[in-house]
Amino acid sequence: ADEPFEGYNNYYEYLNSTYRRKRDLLGKALSEAGFAIPDYDKTPGGGFFIFARITPELKKAIPAERLKPPYSNNPAAPGGVVGLDWALCQWMAEEKGVL
């Protein structure tokens, strides 16, 4: 792993670069879609997650009926009640084809 790898000084530099490139690609797409994500130049990142916040503009894009019955009642949701995050994910999957 300490040997040169794929044009990098070692495997760890390659892995770091690969994950950063993928993170930045996904982060850009999430930002362009209206999500708020951390500035990873200022905030340390770790793991394989990107935390995206639902912005007020994005919330407005969710059809109001998605936050009311029958959509808001779902036994699979925590407490059987759909929250904003659940409603957004379900709407994006069912209506926008995002899986």
Side-chain angles (χ1 to χ4, degrees), residues 27-62:
K28 182 176 185 253
L30 287 169
S31 291
E32 289 173 357
F35 288 92
I37 65 165
D39 179 347
Y40 289 106
D41 290 332
K42 296 178 183 175
T43 304
F48 301 99
F49 304 95
I50 291 181
F51 294 98
R53 208 171 23 88
I54 299 172
T55 60
E57 295 80 21
L58 190 56
K59 182 179 177 182
K60 291 176 192 172
I62 303 169

PDB file of all heavy atoms in Angstrom, residues 27-62:
ATOM      1  N   GLY A  27     -21.784  16.035  -4.030  1.00  0.00           N
ATOM      2  CA  GLY A  27     -22.088  17.295  -3.337  1.00  0.00           C
ATOM      3  C   GLY A  27     -22.550  18.370  -4.294  1.00  0.00           C
ATOM      4  O   GLY A  27     -23.504  19.099  -4.018  1.00  0.00           O
ATOM      5  N   LYS A  28     -21.902  18.473  -5.446  1.00  0.00           N
ATOM      6  CA  LYS A  28     -22.296  19.470  -6.448  1.00  0.00           C
ATOM      7  C   LYS A  28     -23.712  19.186  -6.947  1.00  0.00           C
ATOM      8  O   LYS A  28     -24.537  20.102  -7.065  1.00  0.00           O
ATOM      9  CB  LYS A  28     -21.310  19.450  -7.611  1.00  0.00           C
ATOM     10  CG  LYS A  28     -21.587  20.472  -8.681  1.00  0.00           C
ATOM     11  CD  LYS A  28     -20.504  20.441  -9.757  1.00  0.00           C
ATOM     12  CE  LYS A  28     -20.725  21.554 -10.742  1.00  0.00           C
ATOM     13  NZ  LYS A  28     -21.210  21.156 -12.013  1.00  0.00           N
ATOM     14  N   ALA A  29     -24.004  17.927  -7.218  1.00  0.00           N
ATOM     15  CA  ALA A  29     -25.343  17.566  -7.695  1.00  0.00           C
ATOM     16  C   ALA A  29     -26.397  17.862  -6.632  1.00  0.00           C
ATOM     17  O   ALA A  29     -27.479  18.376  -6.948  1.00  0.00           O
ATOM     18  CB  ALA A  29     -25.382  16.091  -8.091  1.00  0.00           C
ATOM     19  N   LEU A  30     -26.105  17.553  -5.372  1.00  0.00           N
ATOM     20  CA  LEU A  30     -27.062  17.841  -4.295  1.00  0.00           C
ATOM     21  C   LEU A  30     -27.282  19.345  -4.154  1.00  0.00           C
ATOM     22  O   LEU A  30     -28.422  19.794  -3.992  1.00  0.00           O
ATOM     23  CB  LEU A  30     -26.570  17.248  -2.971  1.00  0.00           C
ATOM     24  CG  LEU A  30     -26.658  15.733  -2.849  1.00  0.00           C
ATOM     25  CD1 LEU A  30     -25.892  15.257  -1.623  1.00  0.00           C
ATOM     26  CD2 LEU A  30     -28.104  15.275  -2.806  1.00  0.00           C
ATOM     27  N   SER A  31     -26.208  20.125  -4.231  1.00  0.00           N
ATOM     28  CA  SER A  31     -26.338  21.585  -4.136  1.00  0.00           C
ATOM     29  C   SER A  31     -27.169  22.135  -5.280  1.00  0.00           C
ATOM     30  O   SER A  31     -28.043  22.981  -5.080  1.00  0.00           O
ATOM     31  CB  SER A  31     -24.957  22.246  -4.150  1.00  0.00           C
ATOM     32  OG  SER A  31     -24.261  21.959  -2.982  1.00  0.00           O
ATOM     33  N   GLU A  32     -26.911  21.642  -6.479  1.00  0.00           N
ATOM     34  CA  GLU A  32     -27.670  22.108  -7.645  1.00  0.00           C
ATOM     35  C   GLU A  32     -29.134  21.717  -7.560  1.00  0.00           C
ATOM     36  O   GLU A  32     -30.002  22.384  -8.126  1.00  0.00           O
ATOM     37  CB  GLU A  32     -27.040  21.572  -8.930  1.00  0.00           C
ATOM     38  CG  GLU A  32     -25.710  22.224  -9.246  1.00  0.00           C
ATOM     39  CD  GLU A  32     -24.987  21.595 -10.420  1.00  0.00           C
ATOM     40  OE1 GLU A  32     -25.477  20.594 -10.983  1.00  0.00           O
ATOM     41  OE2 GLU A  32     -23.908  22.109 -10.770  1.00  0.00           O
ATOM     42  N   ALA A  33     -29.432  20.645  -6.818  1.00  0.00           N
ATOM     43  CA  ALA A  33     -30.815  20.209  -6.641  1.00  0.00           C
ATOM     44  C   ALA A  33     -31.519  20.970  -5.518  1.00  0.00           C
ATOM     45  O   ALA A  33     -32.711  20.787  -5.296  1.00  0.00           O
ATOM     46  CB  ALA A  33     -30.870  18.707  -6.356  1.00  0.00           C
ATOM     47  N   GLY A  34     -30.776  21.823  -4.795  1.00  0.00           N
ATOM     48  CA  GLY A  34     -31.396  22.646  -3.766  1.00  0.00           C
ATOM     49  C   GLY A  34     -31.092  22.241  -2.345  1.00  0.00           C
ATOM     50  O   GLY A  34     -31.575  22.868  -1.407  1.00  0.00           O
ATOM     51  N   PHE A  35     -30.287  21.194  -2.141  1.00  0.00           N
ATOM     52  CA  PHE A  35     -29.922  20.781  -0.789  1.00  0.00           C
ATOM     53  C   PHE A  35     -28.781  21.654  -0.280  1.00  0.00           C
ATOM     54  O   PHE A  35     -27.978  22.161  -1.054  1.00  0.00           O
ATOM     55  CB  PHE A  35     -29.458  19.323  -0.769  1.00  0.00           C
ATOM     56  CG  PHE A  35     -30.548  18.320  -0.955  1.00  0.00           C
ATOM     57  CD1 PHE A  35     -30.874  17.858  -2.218  1.00  0.00           C
ATOM     58  CD2 PHE A  35     -31.262  17.837   0.129  1.00  0.00           C
ATOM     59  CE1 PHE A  35     -31.877  16.935  -2.411  1.00  0.00           C
ATOM     60  CE2 PHE A  35     -32.264  16.901  -0.045  1.00  0.00           C
ATOM     61  CZ  PHE A  35     -32.572  16.448  -1.314  1.00  0.00           C
ATOM     62  N   ALA A  36     -28.706  21.809   1.030  1.00  0.00           N
ATOM     63  CA  ALA A  36     -27.577  22.505   1.652  1.00  0.00           C
ATOM     64  C   ALA A  36     -26.632  21.438   2.180  1.00  0.00           C
ATOM     65  O   ALA A  36     -27.054  20.519   2.873  1.00  0.00           O
ATOM     66  CB  ALA A  36     -28.066  23.385   2.796  1.00  0.00           C
ATOM     67  N   ILE A  37     -25.355  21.540   1.815  1.00  0.00           N
ATOM     68  CA  ILE A  37     -24.359  20.586   2.296  1.00  0.00           C
ATOM     69  C   ILE A  37     -23.209  21.356   2.922  1.00  0.00           C
ATOM     70  O   ILE A  37     -23.004  22.529   2.634  1.00  0.00           O
ATOM     71  CB  ILE A  37     -23.852  19.657   1.171  1.00  0.00           C
ATOM     72  CG1 ILE A  37     -23.099  20.436   0.106  1.00  0.00           C
ATOM     73  CG2 ILE A  37     -24.987  18.850   0.567  1.00  0.00           C
ATOM     74  CD1 ILE A  37     -22.287  19.564  -0.816  1.00  0.00           C
ATOM     75  N   PRO A  38     -22.409  20.693   3.781  1.00  0.00           N
ATOM     76  CA  PRO A  38     -21.288  21.382   4.416  1.00  0.00           C
ATOM     77  C   PRO A  38     -20.224  21.810   3.403  1.00  0.00           C
ATOM     78  O   PRO A  38     -20.086  21.206   2.343  1.00  0.00           O
ATOM     79  CB  PRO A  38     -20.703  20.328   5.362  1.00  0.00           C
ATOM     80  CG  PRO A  38     -21.756  19.299   5.523  1.00  0.00           C
ATOM     81  CD  PRO A  38     -22.562  19.324   4.260  1.00  0.00           C
ATOM     82  N   ASP A  39     -19.469  22.826   3.755  1.00  0.00           N
ATOM     83  CA  ASP A  39     -18.299  23.216   2.984  1.00  0.00           C
ATOM     84  C   ASP A  39     -17.142  22.382   3.532  1.00  0.00           C
ATOM     85  O   ASP A  39     -16.626  22.657   4.611  1.00  0.00           O
ATOM     86  CB  ASP A  39     -18.026  24.710   3.152  1.00  0.00           C
ATOM     87  CG  ASP A  39     -16.796  25.168   2.385  1.00  0.00           C
ATOM     88  OD1 ASP A  39     -16.008  24.314   1.916  1.00  0.00           O
ATOM     89  OD2 ASP A  39     -16.622  26.392   2.258  1.00  0.00           O
ATOM     90  N   TYR A  40     -16.743  21.367   2.789  1.00  0.00           N
ATOM     91  CA  TYR A  40     -15.728  20.442   3.291  1.00  0.00           C
ATOM     92  C   TYR A  40     -14.328  21.042   3.324  1.00  0.00           C
ATOM     93  O   TYR A  40     -13.419  20.437   3.868  1.00  0.00           O
ATOM     94  CB  TYR A  40     -15.759  19.139   2.495  1.00  0.00           C
ATOM     95  CG  TYR A  40     -16.995  18.340   2.801  1.00  0.00           C
ATOM     96  CD1 TYR A  40     -18.041  18.255   1.899  1.00  0.00           C
ATOM     97  CD2 TYR A  40     -17.137  17.705   4.033  1.00  0.00           C
ATOM     98  CE1 TYR A  40     -19.185  17.536   2.202  1.00  0.00           C
ATOM     99  CE2 TYR A  40     -18.279  16.989   4.341  1.00  0.00           C
ATOM    100  CZ  TYR A  40     -19.299  16.904   3.421  1.00  0.00           C
ATOM    101  OH  TYR A  40     -20.430  16.205   3.731  1.00  0.00           O
ATOM    102  N   ASP A  41     -14.147  22.242   2.766  1.00  0.00           N
ATOM    103  CA  ASP A  41     -12.872  22.935   2.931  1.00  0.00           C
ATOM    104  C   ASP A  41     -12.788  23.566   4.315  1.00  0.00           C
ATOM    105  O   ASP A  41     -11.706  23.854   4.804  1.00  0.00           O
ATOM    106  CB  ASP A  41     -12.691  24.015   1.860  1.00  0.00           C
ATOM    107  CG  ASP A  41     -12.474  23.427   0.476  1.00  0.00           C
ATOM    108  OD1 ASP A  41     -11.941  22.302   0.382  1.00  0.00           O
ATOM    109  OD2 ASP A  41     -12.851  24.084  -0.507  1.00  0.00           O
ATOM    110  N   LYS A  42     -13.947  23.789   4.944  1.00  0.00           N
ATOM    111  CA  LYS A  42     -13.992  24.404   6.273  1.00  0.00           C
ATOM    112  C   LYS A  42     -14.386  23.408   7.355  1.00  0.00           C
ATOM    113  O   LYS A  42     -14.043  23.575   8.509  1.00  0.00           O
ATOM    114  CB  LYS A  42     -14.998  25.560   6.283  1.00  0.00           C
ATOM    115  CG  LYS A  42     -14.618  26.697   5.369  1.00  0.00           C
ATOM    116  CD  LYS A  42     -15.661  27.775   5.391  1.00  0.00           C
ATOM    117  CE  LYS A  42     -15.307  28.893   4.420  1.00  0.00           C
ATOM    118  NZ  LYS A  42     -16.342  29.889   4.330  1.00  0.00           N
ATOM    119  N   THR A  43     -15.167  22.406   6.986  1.00  0.00           N
ATOM    120  CA  THR A  43     -15.681  21.425   7.938  1.00  0.00           C
ATOM    121  C   THR A  43     -15.049  20.072   7.641  1.00  0.00           C
ATOM    122  O   THR A  43     -15.118  19.616   6.505  1.00  0.00           O
ATOM    123  CB  THR A  43     -17.212  21.299   7.792  1.00  0.00           C
ATOM    124  OG1 THR A  43     -17.789  22.581   7.957  1.00  0.00           O
ATOM    125  CG2 THR A  43     -17.793  20.348   8.808  1.00  0.00           C
ATOM    126  N   PRO A  44     -14.434  19.435   8.617  1.00  0.00           N
ATOM    127  CA  PRO A  44     -13.835  18.139   8.325  1.00  0.00           C
ATOM    128  C   PRO A  44     -14.908  17.124   7.947  1.00  0.00           C
ATOM    129  O   PRO A  44     -15.992  17.104   8.517  1.00  0.00           O
ATOM    130  CB  PRO A  44     -13.146  17.746   9.630  1.00  0.00           C
ATOM    131  CG  PRO A  44     -13.779  18.564  10.680  1.00  0.00           C
ATOM    132  CD  PRO A  44     -14.286  19.805  10.014  1.00  0.00           C
ATOM    133  N   GLY A  45     -14.619  16.328   6.974  1.00  0.00           N
ATOM    134  CA  GLY A  45     -15.537  15.275   6.558  1.00  0.00           C
ATOM    135  C   GLY A  45     -14.930  13.937   6.922  1.00  0.00           C
ATOM    136  O   GLY A  45     -13.733  13.801   7.096  1.00  0.00           O
ATOM    137  N   GLY A  46     -15.753  12.956   7.030  1.00  0.00           N
ATOM    138  CA  GLY A  46     -15.263  11.624   7.340  1.00  0.00           C
ATOM    139  C   GLY A  46     -16.324  10.607   7.006  1.00  0.00           C
ATOM    140  O   GLY A  46     -17.499  10.925   6.899  1.00  0.00           O
ATOM    141  N   GLY A  47     -15.909   9.409   6.803  1.00  0.00           N
ATOM    142  CA  GLY A  47     -16.855   8.353   6.484  1.00  0.00           C
ATOM    143  C   GLY A  47     -17.316   8.438   5.039  1.00  0.00           C
ATOM    144  O   GLY A  47     -16.695   9.082   4.203  1.00  0.00           O
ATOM    145  N   PHE A  48     -18.414   7.788   4.765  1.00  0.00           N
ATOM    146  CA  PHE A  48     -18.936   7.711   3.404  1.00  0.00           C
ATOM    147  C   PHE A  48     -20.282   8.398   3.288  1.00  0.00           C
ATOM    148  O   PHE A  48     -21.139   7.961   2.537  1.00  0.00           O
ATOM    149  CB  PHE A  48     -19.070   6.247   2.971  1.00  0.00           C
ATOM    150  CG  PHE A  48     -17.769   5.515   3.005  1.00  0.00           C
ATOM    151  CD1 PHE A  48     -17.444   4.703   4.065  1.00  0.00           C
ATOM    152  CD2 PHE A  48     -16.856   5.667   1.983  1.00  0.00           C
ATOM    153  CE1 PHE A  48     -16.246   4.021   4.090  1.00  0.00           C
ATOM    154  CE2 PHE A  48     -15.648   5.004   1.999  1.00  0.00           C
ATOM    155  CZ  PHE A  48     -15.342   4.174   3.059  1.00  0.00           C
ATOM    156  N   PHE A  49     -20.493   9.448   4.026  1.00  0.00           N
ATOM    157  CA  PHE A  49     -21.780  10.108   4.055  1.00  0.00           C
ATOM    158  C   PHE A  49     -21.657  11.570   3.660  1.00  0.00           C
ATOM    159  O   PHE A  49     -20.641  12.194   3.916  1.00  0.00           O
ATOM    160  CB  PHE A  49     -22.405  10.045   5.457  1.00  0.00           C
ATOM    161  CG  PHE A  49     -22.544   8.651   5.973  1.00  0.00           C
ATOM    162  CD1 PHE A  49     -21.571   8.099   6.781  1.00  0.00           C
ATOM    163  CD2 PHE A  49     -23.648   7.885   5.630  1.00  0.00           C
ATOM    164  CE1 PHE A  49     -21.697   6.804   7.254  1.00  0.00           C
ATOM    165  CE2 PHE A  49     -23.771   6.601   6.094  1.00  0.00           C
ATOM    166  CZ  PHE A  49     -22.798   6.054   6.909  1.00  0.00           C
ATOM    167  N   ILE A  50     -22.714  12.088   3.065  1.00  0.00           N
ATOM    168  CA  ILE A  50     -22.839  13.525   2.850  1.00  0.00           C
ATOM    169  C   ILE A  50     -24.144  13.918   3.525  1.00  0.00           C
ATOM    170  O   ILE A  50     -25.194  13.352   3.218  1.00  0.00           O
ATOM    171  CB  ILE A  50     -22.888  13.892   1.357  1.00  0.00           C
ATOM    172  CG1 ILE A  50     -21.525  13.644   0.708  1.00  0.00           C
ATOM    173  CG2 ILE A  50     -23.302  15.346   1.175  1.00  0.00           C
ATOM    174  CD1 ILE A  50     -21.469  14.009  -0.750  1.00  0.00           C
ATOM    175  N   PHE A  51     -24.064  14.826   4.457  1.00  0.00           N
ATOM    176  CA  PHE A  51     -25.263  15.293   5.123  1.00  0.00           C
ATOM    177  C   PHE A  51     -25.844  16.450   4.325  1.00  0.00           C
ATOM    178  O   PHE A  51     -25.169  17.447   4.096  1.00  0.00           O
ATOM    179  CB  PHE A  51     -24.958  15.724   6.562  1.00  0.00           C
ATOM    180  CG  PHE A  51     -24.539  14.579   7.420  1.00  0.00           C
ATOM    181  CD1 PHE A  51     -23.205  14.333   7.668  1.00  0.00           C
ATOM    182  CD2 PHE A  51     -25.486  13.724   7.934  1.00  0.00           C
ATOM    183  CE1 PHE A  51     -22.810  13.259   8.442  1.00  0.00           C
ATOM    184  CE2 PHE A  51     -25.108  12.636   8.708  1.00  0.00           C
ATOM    185  CZ  PHE A  51     -23.765  12.404   8.961  1.00  0.00           C
ATOM    186  N   ALA A  52     -27.073  16.284   3.894  1.00  0.00           N
ATOM    187  CA  ALA A  52     -27.740  17.306   3.088  1.00  0.00           C
ATOM    188  C   ALA A  52     -28.982  17.777   3.850  1.00  0.00           C
ATOM    189  O   ALA A  52     -29.761  16.967   4.340  1.00  0.00           O
ATOM    190  CB  ALA A  52     -28.135  16.739   1.732  1.00  0.00           C
ATOM    191  N   ARG A  53     -29.115  19.084   3.962  1.00  0.00           N
ATOM    192  CA  ARG A  53     -30.241  19.685   4.668  1.00  0.00           C
ATOM    193  C   ARG A  53     -31.300  20.098   3.654  1.00  0.00           C
ATOM    194  O   ARG A  53     -30.993  20.591   2.575  1.00  0.00           O
ATOM    195  CB  ARG A  53     -29.732  20.918   5.428  1.00  0.00           C
ATOM    196  CG  ARG A  53     -30.490  21.255   6.658  1.00  0.00           C
ATOM    197  CD  ARG A  53     -29.813  22.347   7.481  1.00  0.00           C
ATOM    198  NE  ARG A  53     -28.900  23.235   6.789  1.00  0.00           N
ATOM    199  CZ  ARG A  53     -29.263  24.352   6.176  1.00  0.00           C
ATOM    200  NH1 ARG A  53     -30.513  24.732   6.156  1.00  0.00           N
ATOM    201  NH2 ARG A  53     -28.354  25.108   5.584  1.00  0.00           N
ATOM    202  N   ILE A  54     -32.564  19.882   4.002  1.00  0.00           N
ATOM    203  CA  ILE A  54     -33.674  20.308   3.152  1.00  0.00           C
ATOM    204  C   ILE A  54     -33.833  21.812   3.348  1.00  0.00           C
ATOM    205  O   ILE A  54     -34.156  22.272   4.437  1.00  0.00           O
ATOM    206  CB  ILE A  54     -34.972  19.562   3.502  1.00  0.00           C
ATOM    207  CG1 ILE A  54     -34.791  18.063   3.294  1.00  0.00           C
ATOM    208  CG2 ILE A  54     -36.140  20.091   2.672  1.00  0.00           C
ATOM    209  CD1 ILE A  54     -35.948  17.215   3.803  1.00  0.00           C
ATOM    210  N   THR A  55     -33.589  22.560   2.298  1.00  0.00           N
ATOM    211  CA  THR A  55     -33.684  24.019   2.371  1.00  0.00           C
ATOM    212  C   THR A  55     -35.147  24.449   2.237  1.00  0.00           C
ATOM    213  O   THR A  55     -35.985  23.679   1.760  1.00  0.00           O
ATOM    214  CB  THR A  55     -32.870  24.665   1.242  1.00  0.00           C
ATOM    215  OG1 THR A  55     -33.389  24.216  -0.007  1.00  0.00           O
ATOM    216  CG2 THR A  55     -31.396  24.315   1.343  1.00  0.00           C
ATOM    217  N   PRO A  56     -35.464  25.676   2.646  1.00  0.00           N
ATOM    218  CA  PRO A  56     -36.845  26.163   2.475  1.00  0.00           C
ATOM    219  C   PRO A  56     -37.300  26.106   1.010  1.00  0.00           C
ATOM    220  O   PRO A  56     -38.449  25.787   0.733  1.00  0.00           O
ATOM    221  CB  PRO A  56     -36.781  27.611   2.986  1.00  0.00           C
ATOM    222  CG  PRO A  56     -35.662  27.608   3.980  1.00  0.00           C
ATOM    223  CD  PRO A  56     -34.647  26.639   3.415  1.00  0.00           C
ATOM    224  N   GLU A  57     -36.378  26.386   0.086  1.00  0.00           N
ATOM    225  CA  GLU A  57     -36.737  26.338  -1.334  1.00  0.00           C
ATOM    226  C   GLU A  57     -37.094  24.927  -1.766  1.00  0.00           C
ATOM    227  O   GLU A  57     -38.038  24.706  -2.516  1.00  0.00           O
ATOM    228  CB  GLU A  57     -35.578  26.873  -2.202  1.00  0.00           C
ATOM    229  CG  GLU A  57     -35.269  28.329  -1.998  1.00  0.00           C
ATOM    230  CD  GLU A  57     -34.426  28.596  -0.752  1.00  0.00           C
ATOM    231  OE1 GLU A  57     -33.738  27.685  -0.238  1.00  0.00           O
ATOM    232  OE2 GLU A  57     -34.467  29.744  -0.272  1.00  0.00           O
ATOM    233  N   LEU A  58     -36.327  23.949  -1.280  1.00  0.00           N
ATOM    234  CA  LEU A  58     -36.603  22.555  -1.621  1.00  0.00           C
ATOM    235  C   LEU A  58     -37.916  22.096  -0.991  1.00  0.00           C
ATOM    236  O   LEU A  58     -38.694  21.374  -1.620  1.00  0.00           O
ATOM    237  CB  LEU A  58     -35.444  21.670  -1.169  1.00  0.00           C
ATOM    238  CG  LEU A  58     -35.459  20.229  -1.641  1.00  0.00           C
ATOM    239  CD1 LEU A  58     -35.530  20.142  -3.153  1.00  0.00           C
ATOM    240  CD2 LEU A  58     -34.220  19.514  -1.140  1.00  0.00           C
ATOM    241  N   LYS A  59     -38.176  22.538   0.230  1.00  0.00           N
ATOM    242  CA  LYS A  59     -39.426  22.180   0.898  1.00  0.00           C
ATOM    243  C   LYS A  59     -40.626  22.660   0.088  1.00  0.00           C
ATOM    244  O   LYS A  59     -41.636  21.957  -0.023  1.00  0.00           O
ATOM    245  CB  LYS A  59     -39.472  22.775   2.304  1.00  0.00           C
ATOM    246  CG  LYS A  59     -40.715  22.395   3.079  1.00  0.00           C
ATOM    247  CD  LYS A  59     -40.703  22.981   4.475  1.00  0.00           C
ATOM    248  CE  LYS A  59     -41.986  22.640   5.199  1.00  0.00           C
ATOM    249  NZ  LYS A  59     -42.032  23.231   6.531  1.00  0.00           N
ATOM    250  N   LYS A  60     -40.509  23.832  -0.519  1.00  0.00           N
ATOM    251  CA  LYS A  60     -41.603  24.366  -1.339  1.00  0.00           C
ATOM    252  C   LYS A  60     -41.878  23.510  -2.569  1.00  0.00           C
ATOM    253  O   LYS A  60     -42.985  23.531  -3.106  1.00  0.00           O
ATOM    254  CB  LYS A  60     -41.287  25.800  -1.779  1.00  0.00           C
ATOM    255  CG  LYS A  60     -41.311  26.803  -0.669  1.00  0.00           C
ATOM    256  CD  LYS A  60     -40.893  28.171  -1.191  1.00  0.00           C
ATOM    257  CE  LYS A  60     -40.630  29.128  -0.051  1.00  0.00           C
ATOM    258  NZ  LYS A  60     -40.056  30.391  -0.527  1.00  0.00           N
ATOM    259  N   ALA A  61     -40.858  22.773  -3.026  1.00  0.00           N
ATOM    260  CA  ALA A  61     -41.020  21.931  -4.219  1.00  0.00           C
ATOM    261  C   ALA A  61     -41.843  20.671  -3.935  1.00  0.00           C
ATOM    262  O   ALA A  61     -42.407  20.088  -4.860  1.00  0.00           O
ATOM    263  CB  ALA A  61     -39.658  21.542  -4.767  1.00  0.00           C
ATOM    264  N   ILE A  62     -41.923  20.270  -2.666  1.00  0.00           N
ATOM    265  CA  ILE A  62     -42.686  19.073  -2.314  1.00  0.00           C
ATOM    266  C   ILE A  62     -44.168  19.420  -2.356  1.00  0.00           C
ATOM    267  O   ILE A  62     -44.610  20.359  -1.687  1.00  0.00           O
ATOM    268  CB  ILE A  62     -42.322  18.569  -0.898  1.00  0.00           C
ATOM    269  CG1 ILE A  62     -40.826  18.303  -0.796  1.00  0.00           C
ATOM    270  CG2 ILE A  62     -43.116  17.319  -0.553  1.00  0.00           C
ATOM    271  CD1 ILE A  62     -40.351  18.053   0.618  1.00  0.00           C
TER     272      ILE A  62
END
